[in-house]
Amino acid sequence: MIVSNASLSCARCFGEATTEANGGVSGSLPAPSLSPTGHLVVAVCLGCIGTLGFLSNFLVLALFCRYRVLRTPMNLLLVSISVSDLLVSVLGTPFSFAASTQGRWLIGRAGCVWYGFINSCLGIVSLISLAVLSYERYCTMMEPTIANGRDFRTSLGGICFSWLYSVAWTVPPLLGWSRYGPEGPGTTCSVDWKTQTPNNISYIISLFTFCLVLPFTVIVYSYGKLLRTIRQVRFCRLNYHETEV
């Protein structure tokens, strides 16, 4: 997920919670922390990352559609990740890029909530999809007899799970369990990381546990087991060749 935390204060957008015309977001704002040169550097980086992200993920989707040999269940999970990353490049990065060029958030409170939700949702989709992909590879390695190169049901199930799981964890801030608002200097938006209330803290802890620690644990466990199995197979082959000699 492509999100920049280095940008300028958005005081003109979020200074007053009651300023309906510019869609202010309640809460205090950080002081400006970047010089004009800093904003320019951030904007250039976001522009490059967004452009490369769009082109590379679009190429992945084009190749998947163009060549039938690439249409495998495992690659379908990679396509899901490419779709989520491509959507970030289209629906998220342009807003933070524009905000960085101007040094302030440009599309009001509703846009801030939209940006925070869509980037959080798509970021979690990518992470959960990577966890599902690692677990599927682990299962394929451990039980090769059940692997079917033409059976897409498991992959489709994993994709549906990834997207629904992400939506389930990113909708609550829209309903009152925490909230989306400006972060860092104020030119990007995300979950409210700073408010020290039981409501907000409980959501942050839950999000951290189930959308970062849990998928990361699955990835480490799955690939750790795969590496261990590969080493065992390699060791057995070496012993076999030494025995033959």
Side-chain angles (χ1 to χ4, degrees):
M1 176 180 177
I2 306 170
V3 180
S4 171
N5 289 323
S7 37
L8 196 89
S9 173
C10 185
R12 291 167 59 185
C13 290
F14 299 121
E16 295 291 335
T18 58
T19 306
E20 201 173 290
N22 63 2
V25 177
S26 61
S28 60
L29 290 170
S33 58
L34 290 178
S35 65
T37 302
H39 308 316
L40 177 62
V41 170
V42 170
V44 170
C45 290
L46 283 173
C48 293
I49 292 172
T51 302
L52 290 175
F54 175 83
L55 293 176
S56 59
N57 287 294
F58 182 81
L59 178 61
V60 169
L61 298 179
L63 291 175
F64 183 83
C65 295
R66 175 67 177 83
Y67 298 103
R68 183 180 295 272
V69 69
L70 297 177
R71 301 173 197 171
T72 64
M74 204 71 73
N75 284 343
L76 194 61
L77 284 167
L78 295 176
V79 165
S80 176
I81 297 172
S82 290
V83 168
S84 66
D85 291 344
L86 182 66
L87 289 176
V88 170
S89 299
V90 174
L91 303 177
T93 306
F95 298 111
S96 55
F97 170 77
S100 294
T101 61
Q102 299 299 313
R104 63 186 180 89
W105 188 252
L106 301 174
I107 56 175
R109 185 186 180 202
C112 182
V113 172
W114 158 258
Y115 180 93
F117 168 75
I118 201 68
N119 278 274
S120 298
C121 182
L122 295 174
I124 293 173
V125 165
S126 294
L127 185 56
I128 299 302
S129 296
L130 288 172
V132 171
L133 179 63
S134 66
Y135 184 72
E136 281 211 20
R137 285 177 172 171
Y138 164 73
C139 292
T140 301
M141 178 69 76
M142 296 298 104
E143 297 290 341
T145 56
I146 65 173
N148 187 342
R150 294 291 101 189
D151 186 1
F152 288 86
R153 288 176 298 177
T154 302
S155 295
L156 289 173
I159 291 171
C160 291
F161 172 78
S162 300
W163 286 83
L164 292 176
Y165 187 90
S166 177
V167 170
W169 279 105
T170 50
V171 165
L174 302 177
L175 304 178
W177 190 18
S178 187
R179 65 173 186 169
Y180 293 110
E183 65 172 350
T187 53
T188 59
C189 297
S190 183
V191 176
D192 183 0
W193 305 106
K194 294 184 177 181
T195 302
Q196 300 295 313
T197 62
N199 175 284
N200 196 63
I201 293 173
S202 62
Y203 177 76
I204 296 301
I205 292 175
S206 299
L207 188 71
F208 178 78
T209 302
F210 293 101
C211 295
L212 179 61
V213 175
L214 181 60
F216 181 73
T217 301
V218 172
I219 291 171
V220 171
Y221 174 82
S222 299
Y223 284 120
K225 285 286 189 178
L226 284 175
L227 288 174
R228 183 179 177 183
T229 302
I230 291 172
R231 287 178 179 177
Q232 288 177 343
V233 171
R234 183 180 179 185
F235 180 76
C236 291
R237 286 182 176 177
L238 288 174
N239 285 341
Y240 177 76
H241 288 305
E242 288 178 358
T243 303
E244 281 191 334
V245 173

